[in-house]
Each structure stands twice: as structure tokens, then as C-alpha cells.
Amino acid sequence: MKNLYFIFLLLMLGCAPSEQETSRNNELQRWKEQANNVEIIRDDYGVPHIYGKTDADAVFGLLYAQCEDDFNRVEQNYIWATGRLAEVEGASALYSDLRAHLYMTPEEAIQNFEQSPEWLQKLCVGFADGINYYLASHPEVTPKLIKRFEPWMPFYFSEGSIGGDIERVSTKKIQTFYDVSPEKGIASVHDGKLGLTYGDLQGSNGIAISGKHTASKNAMLLINPHTSFFFRGEVHVVSEEGLNAYGAVTWGQFFIYQGFNEATGWMHTSTGTDIIDEFEETIIDTKKGIKYIYGDEKRTLEELPISLKYLSENGIEERDFIGYRSHHGPITHSNEDKWVATALMWKPIKALQQSFIRTKQKNHAGFKEMMNLRTNSSNNTVFADKEGNIAYYHGNFIPKRNAELDYTQPVDGSNPDTDWKGLHEVDENILVVNPENGWIQNCNSTPFTSAGIYSPKPENYPRYMSSFPENYRGIHAIELLKKANDLTLDKLIDLAYDPYLPGAEILIKGLLEASKSMKELNQNQKKALNELEKWDFKVRVNSIPMLLTQYYLNTYIGSENIRKKRRGFINMVNYMANESSYEERMTVFFKAVDQLESDFGSLETPWGEYNRYQRINGDIIQKFNDSLPSKPIGMASGYWGALASFGTRHGENTKRVYGVGGNSFVAVVEFGDKVTARSLLAGGQSGNPKSKHFDDQVEAYAEGKFKNVAYYREDVIKRAVSTYRPGELKDTSNH
């Protein structure tokens, strides 16, 4: 009997759930209970409208829905942000990962979470739980790396911009400084950029219109970010705690980055404000450790043991580093015998708070108060509201500096006079509120033309507050807005898609002037010039002169003439059109004509034959192929002055170019008694090729035809295709 008892006891112990299994079951039960507080309604375009009892419930549902649409990109963003890219992409990404850890280690991210206000902690837990419940309820989904998401992870990815400020810190320079073992040298170093780069001047357009120029007398807003395609989804998130925001969300984030609520709208453009500085530290190596000079002091340099994993031919290996920080920031490189600390905005708690609080503001007064948190470092903000206000904030996080010094160059970190002296207040920054002209624009251009003659004056601000010059998009927008009256949403869309290209007109008029000096032309050259003489400088899908102009520009940029004179695009066009010799212009043009005929067999090839949209699969990096289906696009690059931008690149061995960025999520919004809006998303909502929403907006995108936004619940219900709670639907490909 005794032996039987022990056998029974062993069997019982073997059947009893382990502590880990119990914890797992409890967690699943908690997720299911929270899912009961969430409703997801998918409309006819697959846009998820998430309704939660609390803000945390809404965040839970938002992240669950994002994973349904594109878990691949959600995960990739956090692999990059948390410094684990090398575990997937190999040793070339080690210095992208090291950069992340230099600014914040995982242990420090956990501390930031623990030090956050309770309401923010709840949102971060909702973030992690929403993703983890998605993975638990979709066992067929295999993460590349992150099998469990944690509530401290959003502190690495707090601001919404693609990559944010940290992308501007060179990974190659980090490698040069920290890779002290020649035998471990890496020939090719990942650039550390999260968004795709493409052959365009990346940026965005924001336009706010007061009731002076609208038919309804209501304020309107154009939300027109130019980003890598498919980097943001379109969502609507609502709670019983006052959240009701619609717009674009960067995959994996729990706040609407660019969008609107019933009373306010916000659009971000990249800022030219100086927000990153380099401090050269004078280093002393002592028996008590490495120190640096600061005034009369010898301060100890903070040392950080950092161990990073990376994928190799032998599997996962590790490499150890010692990172360094001064009070200015992490040491990122050296200039001869000086170690350089790179200072930038790194206040993840305040940044996350500001990003979420922004979405719940009810008027400009509240919005301005939110802006006083001053962590939206990489952006300008164009604003409009229900009360009829329009505003423009040029930058947000702007350190006070010694105005006598040039901070575009490294400064002496041993001199306390070079230190940042706190931050400028919002009212000290470049700010435009309700200008008399009744409109505001920013197209990543100078703030000193943002409101026409009512714009701020450069002499009233420190040099470091603005560095971007004027560009052709800004010039184009100003001319359109000067003539804009009785605007409706349809007319605002027409304005945003105006096909005129001011840069092309200047370039081609310079070429045509040079052509008059030519005594002899062959038949092809005459034909090409004749096409250009008839052109109205507007881009269209069937435009022959547009393709001739693009080939001319490409050939000129690829020539030694421009390589020796590389500068801003407006200055470069001015050189090609006005400063270069007639002979040089014609030589380049003849070469372009020959290349075009060689590539396509005819000079009468229309623009759309060359300029294409193609999305083959759900991969983040598309491998474009001329032999696979694609769509002609009648838009052009923003560097020409096209407000509706379509940035492209060639695929491997392709004659055509394919869109990789530019107009992505676009919306026009009117703030009346009820908010009304229209929107458009490049391709579609889903990253799953099996979903009907993978490419259901391609035709509309090509034609610039916007869909009506369903904002109010009664409108959402009318267009509902599926209604469910997280965990209920396994196959969401046909939402």
C-alpha cells in the first residue's frame, strides 16, 4: 500500500500544473477578460474602429488589430528600436543595436516604465497584452525574434517619427570608435535606419485653412505625410475616457501620430530645427578610470557593459562592449584625440505622455498646453480646430544655447558655456497662430514663408531654430494658397494634387534656351525638344515630356558636372538651368535622349510606363520586377515641387522605377458641428497578400480618389463588414 501511495503521489505531481503553467493560464484568462471590454469593427476598407471601455482597453484592442494587419512590421519596429536587429540580420547590424543601448539599456527602459505615472503604465501594459494575446490566439504566426512583448518596450519608440532623432547618429562612426578588434572588423555596417530611403527629398506637407477661405467657414486641415510606403496603418480608436482619434499609427505604437479627433487635428512635418549637438570631450585615462575635463573638474566617464547577440554562420553568438557616457550624452565617435558625445532629446516618459495626450485635446488652448511638454523633437506641427483656430509650431524640443557659438559644428565639451541651458518655452519658439491671411503651410521648408507676408521674421530668432531652406513644394503651395477661396474638401484635395511642377519648368526652360544655340540636331533630338516645347509642366500618367525631363535630370545628376557642385536641389536646378554652359546642357540632354530610347525603344514613351506602383508580397523590402504586374502612376517626386509626392527607386536590373515612399496616408479634415474627413492609404490596410485589403486602394491611389471616413459610430456601423472581440476571429483576411 505504501508503494502504491508513492506511485499515486508521483502521478498526481506529474499531472499537477506547474507554477509556470498556472501563471500562463491566469494571464490568458486576464487577456480574455480584457478582450471582453473591447470591440473591433472593420469597415469596407478594412480600417479597424476600436472601442474600449478604458484608454488601456482601447490600446489593447489597437495593438491586437495592428498585429492582425501587419505583425511583421510591428515586430520589426521593436527589433530595431530595442537594439536586437543583429540577432536577425547578422553582425552588420551590431552597431545599430549598440547605438540603441548607448542611449538606453533594457534595464533603464524598465526603470522608465516603473517611474511612469500609473495611467501611462496601464497603457503600456495594454500595449504588451494586446500583442501577446494576438500571438497566443494565433499560434500559426511565428515571430522572427520577439516571442513576448513587454510594457517597457514603448519607451524605446516614443515619438512616432520613422526612426526618430537617433537615426541621425552614424552607426559607421560608432563602429569605428567601438570596434577595437581588427580581426572582428565588419566590412558592411547597417545604416541603422528604420524607414526605407529612396530617391526623393523625404518630407511631408501640412496645410491649415481658416474659415476665411472655406465655403462652410469652418477650418480645414490637410494631413499629407511623405513616408516609406506601408509604414503606418489607418485606424480609429475610441474609449469611454474621452479618446476618439482617427488617423495614421506607426506600426507598434499606441497613439495616433498624425490625425484628428472631433475638435482638433494635427499634422507633423520634419523640422529643420537644430536638435542634435556634438560635444568634444577631453579625455584623461587615470588609474581610477577614464575621466573627462569639464571646467575645473575631472569627471568620471560613465561606463556601460553591453553584451549584444548577433546571427552568424554558427548560430547566435555574442560580442561584449564597454559603452561610455558623459553628462552630455553617449560617446558615439571621436575627432582625433577628442571623444564626441552626441546629445539629443531622450526623455521617453514625457515623450510617450505627450504623444498620447495630444490625441485627446479639445481646442487650441489645450493643444498648446500639451506642446509645453516639449518632447516632439523631430517635428513641426500644423494644427486646426473646431473653434476655427489654425496654428504652426516650428519644432518643439529646442535647447537654449550660447548664440555666439556655431552648433552646426562640434563644440568644446570641456567649456561649461557650451552646455544646453534648458529648453526654450513654446512661446519663444517659431510659432504662427491665426495669421491674417487665413492659411498656413509647411512642406519641410523654411518657417519664414509659412503664412505668406504674415510669416515670422528670421531676425527675431536664433539661427539654430531653423535650417531648412525654401523648396519647390513650399513655393508651389504658397502660389496655390494665395488663390484659394471657397474651399471644400474636394477642392482641398484638388489643391493637394495639383500637377504643376515648378522645378521642372525652371530646368526645362533653361534647356530650351540652350537648344537655340544648336545649329544641327538629329531627328530624335528635334522630336524630344518639340515635346518639351509643348509641355505645360504638369505631370500626368500619359505625359511624354515628363519622362524626358526625368531622364534629363537623372543624367545630369549622374554626371561629373553635378557631383562637383552638389548642393540643395533648388540651387542644383539653378545651376543646370542658368549657370551651366549651353554646351554642357545639350551634351547631357543628348545623352539622356539616347538612354531613354535604349531603355524603352521609343522617345514617345509615357511617364506611366516608367513610373509604377508594385507590391509583390508582404515583405518590408520589395524586390521589384519589370516582368510582374504593376500600376502606372501619374504623380512625381516631391523634389520637383509635387505636393502629392511619389518617391521611387529602381529594382535590381529594372528599367522602370517603383514607388517606395511619398504620399502614404493622406487625409483632408473639416471641423464643423461634426467633423468630416476623407482619406487615402497607399495600397491598402493589410500587409497580408491574401487579404482583399492588401491592394484594394491601389486604383484610388493612382487616381487620387479619396474615401469617406467613418468617424461617428452610426456611420461605422453602416459600413461594418465584421464586428468581433480580440481572440474571436482566427481568419481576418476577409474583414
Side-chain angles (χ1 to χ4, degrees):
M1 289 292 294
K2 190 174 182 179
N3 287 339
L4 286 175
Y5 171 77
F6 279 113
I7 292 171
F8 175 75
L9 182 62
L10 287 172
L11 287 172
M12 289 295 293
L13 288 172
C15 294
S18 68
E19 184 177 337
Q20 185 176 11
E21 288 174 328
T22 300
S23 175
R24 176 67 170 166
N25 290 335
N26 290 341
E27 191 170 53
L28 276 170
Q29 184 59 36
R30 177 168 61 83
W31 293 341
K32 289 178 181 178
E33 289 173 1
Q34 187 161 24
N36 286 331
N37 295 332
V38 178
E39 180 183 50
I40 301 174
I41 302 176
R42 296 274 182 170
D43 68 22
D44 45 339
Y45 285 91
V47 175
H49 303 260
I50 299 105
Y51 296 86
K53 287 188 176 180
T54 66
D55 288 347
D57 293 334
V59 166
F60 177 95
L62 173 61
L63 270 297
Y64 185 95
Q66 286 186 48
C67 291
E68 289 181 304
D69 288 334
D70 208 331
F71 174 76
N72 181 31
R73 288 176 182 270
V74 171
E75 183 189 20
Q76 180 67 20
N77 286 351
Y78 282 95
I79 291 173
W80 170 85
T82 59
R84 299 185 64 187
L85 196 60
E87 295 178 55
V88 176
E89 299 192 10
S92 68
L94 271 171
Y95 298 96
S96 175
D97 294 347
L98 179 58
R99 181 181 65 185
H101 286 248
L102 285 172
Y103 281 93
M104 186 168 68
T105 65
E107 292 76 19
E108 290 169 327
I110 292 170
Q111 290 173 9
N112 277 309
F113 168 74
E114 292 173 344
Q115 294 167 7
S116 297
E118 183 180 359
W119 69 265
L120 184 58
Q121 289 187 21
K122 289 179 179 179
L123 300 187
C124 293
V125 171
F127 150 88
D129 286 352
I131 302 176
N132 291 330
Y133 188 43
Y134 168 80
L135 291 174
S137 55
H138 292 77
E140 74 282 2
V141 175
T142 304
K144 287 181 288 190
L145 181 65
I146 305 177
K147 294 180 172 58
R148 181 181 177 83
F149 284 72
E150 301 293 345
W152 49 264
M153 289 180 175
F155 292 89
Y156 274 103
F157 201 34
S158 60
E159 195 236 292
S161 296
I162 296 182
D165 304 329
I166 198 172
E167 278 195 338
R168 292 163 59 181
V169 179
S170 168
T171 53
K172 185 63 179 175
K173 288 182 178 181
I174 289 176
Q175 182 212 21
T176 300
F177 184 84
Y178 283 102
D179 191 355
V180 294
S181 305
E183 70 275 9
K184 293 184 180 180
I186 299 167
S188 176
V189 176
H190 193 290
D191 64 9
K193 295 186 183 299
L194 180 57
L196 294 177
T197 55
Y198 51 93
D200 202 348
L201 302 181
Q202 291 167 278
S204 305
N205 306 323
I207 294 176
I209 311 286
S210 79
K212 288 182 180 181
H213 300 291
T214 66
S216 64
K217 307 306 178 186
N218 299 321
M220 293 183 179
L221 181 67
L222 168 68
I223 300 172
N224 186 195
H226 296 165
T227 66
S228 302
F229 283 168
F230 324 123
F231 194 83
R232 296 192 180 110
E234 182 173 348
V235 300
H236 181 203
V237 58
V238 185
S239 80
E240 295 176 14
E241 295 182 336
L243 178 65
N244 192 349
Y246 191 107
V249 62
T250 302
W251 295 115
Q253 293 189 323
F254 59 73
F255 50 87
I256 303 292
Y257 179 59
Q258 287 160 322
F260 60 94
N261 58 39
E262 189 171 27
T264 65
W266 55 96
M267 165 61 207
H268 301 306
T269 63
S270 299
T271 188
T273 300
D274 181 6
I275 52 172
I276 300 179
D277 288 331
E278 295 182 348
F279 294 85
E280 292 183 331
E281 311 290 16
T282 301
I283 300 299
I284 302 174
D285 199 349
T286 71
K287 292 181 180 180
K288 294 183 179 180
I290 300 175
K291 297 183 179 294
Y292 66 102
I293 302 295
Y294 182 69
D296 297 330
E297 303 175 50
K298 294 178 182 178
R299 294 190 172 187
T300 300
L301 206 64
E302 181 184 358
E303 297 188 10
L304 294 168
I306 298 172
S307 182
L308 299 176
K309 296 179 181 180
Y310 65 97
L311 182 66
S312 75
E313 294 179 354
N314 301 318
I316 296 295
E317 299 188 43
E318 289 192 21
R319 186 174 300 184
D320 295 327
F321 299 90
I322 299 295
Y324 300 98
R325 292 175 186 160
S326 75
H327 74 283
H328 293 118
I331 302 298
T332 58
H333 61 286
S334 63
N335 291 335
E336 297 181 351
D337 63 335
K338 304 290 185 181
W339 289 14
V340 181
T342 301
L344 48 77
M345 192 287 294
W346 198 268
K347 299 177 182 292
I349 297 175
K350 285 182 70 175
L352 266 183
Q353 289 182 80
Q354 182 168 356
S355 293
F356 189 78
I357 291 170
R358 180 190 303 122
T359 66
K360 299 179 77 170
Q361 297 311 304
K362 300 305 180 187
N363 52 36
H364 184 243
F367 196 88
K368 186 177 181 182
E369 183 179 349
M370 171 276 302
M371 291 293 282
N372 266 312
L373 288 169
R374 291 172 291 168
T375 58
N376 190 11
S377 55
S378 63
N379 296 307
N380 309 314
T381 303
V382 181
F383 171 89
D385 73 10
K386 186 175 183 177
E387 295 178 357
N389 298 300
I390 61 173
Y392 172 67
Y393 294 82
H394 189 77
N396 187 232
F397 171 91
I398 307 179
K400 293 181 179 179
R401 303 170 173 92
N402 185 333
E404 295 180 2
L405 299 176
D406 181 8
Y407 283 82
T408 64
Q409 302 298 319
V411 295
D412 181 5
S414 69
N415 181 359
D417 287 342
T418 66
D419 271 15
W420 289 352
K421 311 298 183 186
L423 299 178
H424 283 280
E425 299 291 333
V426 168
D427 282 328
E428 296 173 340
N429 297 344
I430 300 172
L431 174 63
V432 181
V433 179
N434 295 328
E436 289 186 39
N437 60 313
W439 55 260
I440 293 170
Q441 64 79 31
N442 183 260
C443 302
N444 311 109
S445 45
T446 172
F448 305 121
T449 60
S450 56
I453 63 173
Y454 300 99
S455 302
K457 301 296 185 284
E459 59 268 23
N460 294 333
Y461 301 93
R463 287 180 301 166
Y464 54 74
M465 281 194 176
S466 181
S467 62
F468 282 177
E470 190 59 278
N471 62 41
Y472 286 127
R473 280 185 291 123
I475 291 170
H476 189 185
I478 290 167
E479 291 306 308
L480 291 170
L481 289 167
K482 284 179 180 178
K483 299 177 286 187
N485 277 303
D486 294 321
L487 287 174
T488 62
L489 289 183
D490 285 338
K491 289 181 179 179
L492 183 54
I493 292 170
D494 290 342
L495 183 150
Y497 278 72
D498 184 82
Y500 169 63
L501 305 178
E505 179 172 10
I506 294 170
L507 180 66
I508 295 307
K509 283 187 173 178
L511 172 65
L512 293 175
E513 180 185 350
S515 71
K516 296 174 184 176
S517 67
M518 299 301 297
K519 295 180 180 179
E520 292 186 10
L521 297 168
N522 66 32
Q523 198 62 34
N524 271 356
Q525 293 162 358
K526 288 179 182 178
K527 184 186 297 184
L529 288 167
N530 184 55
E531 288 287 351
L532 292 173
E533 286 172 351
K534 297 185 296 182
W535 193 27
D536 60 2
F537 309 108
K538 294 182 178 180
V539 61
R540 300 179 181 87
V541 72
N542 61 351
S543 174
I544 292 169
M546 180 69 231
L547 186 54
L548 284 165
T549 301
Q550 189 67 55
Y551 261 72
Y552 177 46
L553 176 71
N554 293 351
T555 306
Y556 224 139
I557 288 178
S559 71
E560 288 298 322
N561 311 84
I562 292 298
R563 288 175 189 159
K564 294 175 182 177
K565 304 176 186 297
R566 181 70 67 176
R567 43 195 171 178
F569 191 75
I570 284 183
N571 291 331
M572 192 162 61
V573 169
N574 185 55
Y575 168 78
M576 292 184 285
N578 301 312
E579 297 175 6
S580 62
S581 69
Y582 287 173
E583 181 182 5
E584 180 178 299
R585 293 177 218 175
M586 298 313 299
T587 299
V588 171
F589 181 66
F590 295 158
K591 185 177 179 181
V593 168
D594 291 344
Q595 187 63 54
L596 174 55
E597 185 172 50
S598 172
D599 285 348
F600 289 96
S602 171
L603 296 182
E604 296 179 349
T605 304
W607 175 241
E609 182 62 28
Y610 169 80
N611 197 58
R612 313 287 288 192
Y613 172 95
Q614 184 179 77
R615 193 181 190 188
I616 302 166
N617 51 40
D619 292 351
I620 293 174
I621 306 295
Q622 294 288 297
K623 295 182 179 179
F624 298 120
N625 190 326
D626 284 344
S627 65
L628 295 178
S630 61
K631 180 76 178 176
I633 301 294
M635 297 175 354
S637 167
Y639 54 63
W640 289 118
L643 297 181
S645 174
F646 189 73
T648 60
R649 65 175 173 85
H650 282 95
E652 187 175 351
N653 300 318
T654 65
K655 302 295 185 186
R656 294 166 161 174
V657 294
Y658 296 91
V660 292
N663 273 31
S664 46
F665 169 80
V666 189
V668 290
V669 190
E670 179 177 348
F671 297 96
D673 293 335
K674 283 192 169 185
V675 66
T676 56
R678 294 180 187 170
S679 70
L680 186 58
L681 189 67
Q685 178 69 18
S686 176
N688 179 3
K690 295 179 180 179
S691 169
K692 65 182 180 182
H693 301 302
F694 180 73
D695 59 4
D696 62 335
Q697 294 185 59
V698 172
E699 292 292 334
Y701 182 86
E703 297 175 15
K705 292 185 177 179
F706 284 48
K707 61 185 180 292
N708 291 324
V709 165
Y711 180 81
Y712 294 97
R713 186 173 176 88
E714 57 266 27
D715 297 319
V716 173
I717 291 172
K718 287 176 185 176
R719 289 172 52 184
V721 173
S722 58
T723 302
Y724 59 100
R725 300 188 188 281
E728 287 184 351
L729 293 182
K730 303 301 180 185
D731 180 11
T732 58
S733 62
N734 289 309
H735 278 316

